[in-house]
Amino acid sequence: MPAIILVFIFATVLPAAIDLEIRHRTQASLAAEASKHKVERQMLEARLAALQGQIEPHFLFNTLANTRALIHQDAAMAEQMLNHLIAYLRAAMPDMRLSTTTLGQELDRAAAYLQIFQIRLGARFQYSVQATDEVRACLIPPLAIMSLVENAIKHGIEPQPGEVRIDISASSEAGQLLVTVSDNGRGFKDELGSGVGLLNVQERLSALFGEQAELQLQPGGKGGVRATICLPARTGKLA
């Protein structure tokens, strides 16, 4: 009888006990992994919020300062610029605290911002924005394009006499979204400047997409600088 009992234990009870232990360990491992990913995501969200917070006051201060400067030159034009600014902020504020927005929304905000500078700089400044409906649906960090546009205006366009322009274009190649901001300003001599702008863009791209995204800077074909954001062409919502 003892032999029969031992055989029964080894044949039924022991495998069940082993299976139960494996399940417990697997569940514990999955729970630990889920907790780890939750903490990592919370840290990422906190980092993105901190980086985003650096951009907002920087952008708003520059825009309001430009509006104030125009008040002393042309009050009617300043009022028109203020109306453009209000329209921009009404469209931009809901997305400023998000980690991503669509390229289309970002390009619309950039166009509104460039309209403000067209008022300030007059006929000598022109701009263009080109993107298909397909690429406009792709995700991108909020104000990433704005940071490039601001940098181009401050360090390339404003110091440059004569006719100046900024061209924004976007395309998708082999699953990659490419967004380029080109200007014909002062070039690398003054273009990079200092502060949070370009470094902030690179850090946010890295935080959201890792090594799959980057910011490239190249000399422009007719002077100035070509700044290109490369990141995975994704739509919908980031996991």
PDB file of all heavy atoms in Angstrom, residues 172-191:
ATOM      1  N   SER A 172       6.385  61.263 -45.238  1.00  0.00           N
ATOM      2  CA  SER A 172       6.547  59.965 -44.589  1.00  0.00           C
ATOM      3  C   SER A 172       7.318  59.039 -45.520  1.00  0.00           C
ATOM      4  O   SER A 172       6.937  58.885 -46.691  1.00  0.00           O
ATOM      5  CB  SER A 172       5.179  59.373 -44.246  1.00  0.00           C
ATOM      6  OG  SER A 172       5.329  58.092 -43.648  1.00  0.00           O
ATOM      7  N   GLU A 173       8.399  58.452 -45.002  1.00  0.00           N
ATOM      8  CA  GLU A 173       9.239  57.552 -45.795  1.00  0.00           C
ATOM      9  C   GLU A 173       9.591  56.327 -44.970  1.00  0.00           C
ATOM     10  O   GLU A 173      10.170  56.448 -43.883  1.00  0.00           O
ATOM     11  CB  GLU A 173      10.524  58.260 -46.241  1.00  0.00           C
ATOM     12  CG  GLU A 173      10.306  59.504 -47.096  1.00  0.00           C
ATOM     13  CD  GLU A 173      11.610  60.200 -47.436  1.00  0.00           C
ATOM     14  OE1 GLU A 173      12.680  59.623 -47.126  1.00  0.00           O
ATOM     15  OE2 GLU A 173      11.555  61.308 -48.002  1.00  0.00           O
ATOM     16  N   ALA A 174       9.239  55.156 -45.474  1.00  0.00           N
ATOM     17  CA  ALA A 174       9.598  53.881 -44.846  1.00  0.00           C
ATOM     18  C   ALA A 174       9.216  53.847 -43.364  1.00  0.00           C
ATOM     19  O   ALA A 174       9.996  53.440 -42.509  1.00  0.00           O
ATOM     20  CB  ALA A 174      11.096  53.606 -45.004  1.00  0.00           C
ATOM     21  N   GLY A 175       7.995  54.317 -43.065  1.00  0.00           N
ATOM     22  CA  GLY A 175       7.522  54.282 -41.691  1.00  0.00           C
ATOM     23  C   GLY A 175       8.065  55.387 -40.804  1.00  0.00           C
ATOM     24  O   GLY A 175       7.796  55.398 -39.603  1.00  0.00           O
ATOM     25  N   GLN A 176       8.816  56.322 -41.370  1.00  0.00           N
ATOM     26  CA  GLN A 176       9.369  57.444 -40.609  1.00  0.00           C
ATOM     27  C   GLN A 176       8.690  58.741 -41.024  1.00  0.00           C
ATOM     28  O   GLN A 176       8.492  59.002 -42.212  1.00  0.00           O
ATOM     29  CB  GLN A 176      10.876  57.565 -40.840  1.00  0.00           C
ATOM     30  CG  GLN A 176      11.722  56.537 -40.102  1.00  0.00           C
ATOM     31  CD  GLN A 176      11.791  56.817 -38.619  1.00  0.00           C
ATOM     32  OE1 GLN A 176      11.192  56.114 -37.817  1.00  0.00           O
ATOM     33  NE2 GLN A 176      12.528  57.835 -38.234  1.00  0.00           N
ATOM     34  N   LEU A 177       8.341  59.566 -40.042  1.00  0.00           N
ATOM     35  CA  LEU A 177       7.804  60.895 -40.297  1.00  0.00           C
ATOM     36  C   LEU A 177       8.958  61.890 -40.289  1.00  0.00           C
ATOM     37  O   LEU A 177       9.742  61.935 -39.338  1.00  0.00           O
ATOM     38  CB  LEU A 177       6.782  61.271 -39.218  1.00  0.00           C
ATOM     39  CG  LEU A 177       6.225  62.695 -39.292  1.00  0.00           C
ATOM     40  CD1 LEU A 177       5.429  62.911 -40.569  1.00  0.00           C
ATOM     41  CD2 LEU A 177       5.364  62.993 -38.058  1.00  0.00           C
ATOM     42  N   LEU A 178       9.055  62.681 -41.352  1.00  0.00           N
ATOM     43  CA  LEU A 178      10.102  63.696 -41.470  1.00  0.00           C
ATOM     44  C   LEU A 178       9.443  65.070 -41.544  1.00  0.00           C
ATOM     45  O   LEU A 178       8.650  65.329 -42.457  1.00  0.00           O
ATOM     46  CB  LEU A 178      10.957  63.457 -42.721  1.00  0.00           C
ATOM     47  CG  LEU A 178      11.563  62.061 -42.882  1.00  0.00           C
ATOM     48  CD1 LEU A 178      12.296  61.953 -44.220  1.00  0.00           C
ATOM     49  CD2 LEU A 178      12.519  61.757 -41.736  1.00  0.00           C
ATOM     50  N   VAL A 179       9.779  65.930 -40.604  1.00  0.00           N
ATOM     51  CA  VAL A 179       9.244  67.291 -40.589  1.00  0.00           C
ATOM     52  C   VAL A 179      10.422  68.258 -40.616  1.00  0.00           C
ATOM     53  O   VAL A 179      11.284  68.221 -39.723  1.00  0.00           O
ATOM     54  CB  VAL A 179       8.372  67.557 -39.353  1.00  0.00           C
ATOM     55  CG1 VAL A 179       7.735  68.936 -39.448  1.00  0.00           C
ATOM     56  CG2 VAL A 179       7.304  66.484 -39.187  1.00  0.00           C
ATOM     57  N   THR A 180      10.470  69.106 -41.635  1.00  0.00           N
ATOM     58  CA  THR A 180      11.611  70.008 -41.829  1.00  0.00           C
ATOM     59  C   THR A 180      11.175  71.465 -41.738  1.00  0.00           C
ATOM     60  O   THR A 180      10.169  71.863 -42.334  1.00  0.00           O
ATOM     61  CB  THR A 180      12.280  69.765 -43.192  1.00  0.00           C
ATOM     62  OG1 THR A 180      12.776  68.422 -43.247  1.00  0.00           O
ATOM     63  CG2 THR A 180      13.445  70.717 -43.409  1.00  0.00           C
ATOM     64  N   VAL A 181      11.934  72.239 -40.991  1.00  0.00           N
ATOM     65  CA  VAL A 181      11.749  73.693 -40.915  1.00  0.00           C
ATOM     66  C   VAL A 181      13.012  74.327 -41.492  1.00  0.00           C
ATOM     67  O   VAL A 181      14.104  74.202 -40.922  1.00  0.00           O
ATOM     68  CB  VAL A 181      11.523  74.165 -39.470  1.00  0.00           C
ATOM     69  CG1 VAL A 181      11.415  75.695 -39.430  1.00  0.00           C
ATOM     70  CG2 VAL A 181      10.268  73.523 -38.888  1.00  0.00           C
ATOM     71  N   SER A 182      12.869  74.983 -42.636  1.00  0.00           N
ATOM     72  CA  SER A 182      14.017  75.597 -43.317  1.00  0.00           C
ATOM     73  C   SER A 182      13.873  77.117 -43.310  1.00  0.00           C
ATOM     74  O   SER A 182      12.765  77.641 -43.406  1.00  0.00           O
ATOM     75  CB  SER A 182      14.103  75.113 -44.772  1.00  0.00           C
ATOM     76  OG  SER A 182      14.177  73.711 -44.840  1.00  0.00           O
ATOM     77  N   ASP A 183      15.012  77.795 -43.215  1.00  0.00           N
ATOM     78  CA  ASP A 183      15.003  79.256 -43.327  1.00  0.00           C
ATOM     79  C   ASP A 183      16.207  79.703 -44.129  1.00  0.00           C
ATOM     80  O   ASP A 183      17.144  78.931 -44.356  1.00  0.00           O
ATOM     81  CB  ASP A 183      15.005  79.905 -41.938  1.00  0.00           C
ATOM     82  CG  ASP A 183      16.320  79.711 -41.199  1.00  0.00           C
ATOM     83  OD1 ASP A 183      17.306  80.391 -41.550  1.00  0.00           O
ATOM     84  OD2 ASP A 183      16.371  78.875 -40.280  1.00  0.00           O
ATOM     85  N   ASN A 184      16.185  80.949 -44.584  1.00  0.00           N
ATOM     86  CA  ASN A 184      17.312  81.502 -45.333  1.00  0.00           C
ATOM     87  C   ASN A 184      17.991  82.599 -44.528  1.00  0.00           C
ATOM     88  O   ASN A 184      18.460  83.599 -45.076  1.00  0.00           O
ATOM     89  CB  ASN A 184      16.850  82.040 -46.692  1.00  0.00           C
ATOM     90  CG  ASN A 184      15.908  83.230 -46.561  1.00  0.00           C
ATOM     91  OD1 ASN A 184      15.315  83.448 -45.501  1.00  0.00           O
ATOM     92  ND2 ASN A 184      15.755  84.003 -47.633  1.00  0.00           N
ATOM     93  N   GLY A 185      18.046  82.418 -43.220  1.00  0.00           N
ATOM     94  CA  GLY A 185      18.592  83.437 -42.320  1.00  0.00           C
ATOM     95  C   GLY A 185      20.097  83.401 -42.178  1.00  0.00           C
ATOM     96  O   GLY A 185      20.833  83.081 -43.116  1.00  0.00           O
ATOM     97  N   ARG A 186      20.576  83.656 -40.966  1.00  0.00           N
ATOM     98  CA  ARG A 186      22.004  83.824 -40.706  1.00  0.00           C
ATOM     99  C   ARG A 186      22.801  82.524 -40.707  1.00  0.00           C
ATOM    100  O   ARG A 186      24.025  82.545 -40.695  1.00  0.00           O
ATOM    101  CB  ARG A 186      22.176  84.530 -39.344  1.00  0.00           C
ATOM    102  CG  ARG A 186      21.592  85.917 -39.284  1.00  0.00           C
ATOM    103  CD  ARG A 186      22.393  86.893 -40.122  1.00  0.00           C
ATOM    104  NE  ARG A 186      23.707  87.097 -39.575  1.00  0.00           N
ATOM    105  CZ  ARG A 186      24.015  88.079 -38.717  1.00  0.00           C
ATOM    106  NH1 ARG A 186      23.071  88.914 -38.323  1.00  0.00           N
ATOM    107  NH2 ARG A 186      25.237  88.208 -38.264  1.00  0.00           N
ATOM    108  N   GLY A 187      22.131  81.412 -40.693  1.00  0.00           N
ATOM    109  CA  GLY A 187      22.843  80.137 -40.744  1.00  0.00           C
ATOM    110  C   GLY A 187      23.413  79.730 -39.401  1.00  0.00           C
ATOM    111  O   GLY A 187      23.044  80.259 -38.353  1.00  0.00           O
ATOM    112  N   PHE A 188      24.351  78.789 -39.417  1.00  0.00           N
ATOM    113  CA  PHE A 188      24.891  78.228 -38.179  1.00  0.00           C
ATOM    114  C   PHE A 188      25.664  79.253 -37.360  1.00  0.00           C
ATOM    115  O   PHE A 188      25.915  79.045 -36.180  1.00  0.00           O
ATOM    116  CB  PHE A 188      25.817  77.043 -38.492  1.00  0.00           C
ATOM    117  CG  PHE A 188      25.062  75.768 -38.733  1.00  0.00           C
ATOM    118  CD1 PHE A 188      24.909  75.283 -40.017  1.00  0.00           C
ATOM    119  CD2 PHE A 188      24.489  75.067 -37.687  1.00  0.00           C
ATOM    120  CE1 PHE A 188      24.204  74.118 -40.250  1.00  0.00           C
ATOM    121  CE2 PHE A 188      23.786  73.904 -37.904  1.00  0.00           C
ATOM    122  CZ  PHE A 188      23.638  73.420 -39.198  1.00  0.00           C
ATOM    123  N   LYS A 189      26.023  80.348 -37.950  1.00  0.00           N
ATOM    124  CA  LYS A 189      26.755  81.384 -37.212  1.00  0.00           C
ATOM    125  C   LYS A 189      25.979  81.844 -35.991  1.00  0.00           C
ATOM    126  O   LYS A 189      26.528  81.997 -34.906  1.00  0.00           O
ATOM    127  CB  LYS A 189      27.040  82.575 -38.146  1.00  0.00           C
ATOM    128  CG  LYS A 189      27.743  83.730 -37.467  1.00  0.00           C
ATOM    129  CD  LYS A 189      27.993  84.854 -38.456  1.00  0.00           C
ATOM    130  CE  LYS A 189      28.670  86.036 -37.775  1.00  0.00           C
ATOM    131  NZ  LYS A 189      28.899  87.166 -38.723  1.00  0.00           N
ATOM    132  N   ASP A 190      24.663  82.063 -36.163  1.00  0.00           N
ATOM    133  CA  ASP A 190      23.830  82.541 -35.055  1.00  0.00           C
ATOM    134  C   ASP A 190      22.628  81.644 -34.787  1.00  0.00           C
ATOM    135  O   ASP A 190      21.932  81.808 -33.804  1.00  0.00           O
ATOM    136  CB  ASP A 190      23.292  83.960 -35.340  1.00  0.00           C
ATOM    137  CG  ASP A 190      24.398  84.981 -35.420  1.00  0.00           C
ATOM    138  OD1 ASP A 190      25.271  84.942 -34.545  1.00  0.00           O
ATOM    139  OD2 ASP A 190      24.397  85.787 -36.362  1.00  0.00           O
ATOM    140  N   GLU A 191      22.372  80.713 -35.667  1.00  0.00           N
ATOM    141  CA  GLU A 191      21.091  79.994 -35.656  1.00  0.00           C
ATOM    142  C   GLU A 191      20.837  79.186 -34.398  1.00  0.00           C
ATOM    143  O   GLU A 191      19.738  79.143 -33.877  1.00  0.00           O
ATOM    144  CB  GLU A 191      21.056  79.049 -36.865  1.00  0.00           C
ATOM    145  CG  GLU A 191      19.758  78.293 -37.033  1.00  0.00           C
ATOM    146  CD  GLU A 191      18.700  79.137 -37.706  1.00  0.00           C
ATOM    147  OE1 GLU A 191      19.047  80.164 -38.286  1.00  0.00           O
ATOM    148  OE2 GLU A 191      17.521  78.753 -37.630  1.00  0.00           O
TER     149      GLU A 191
END
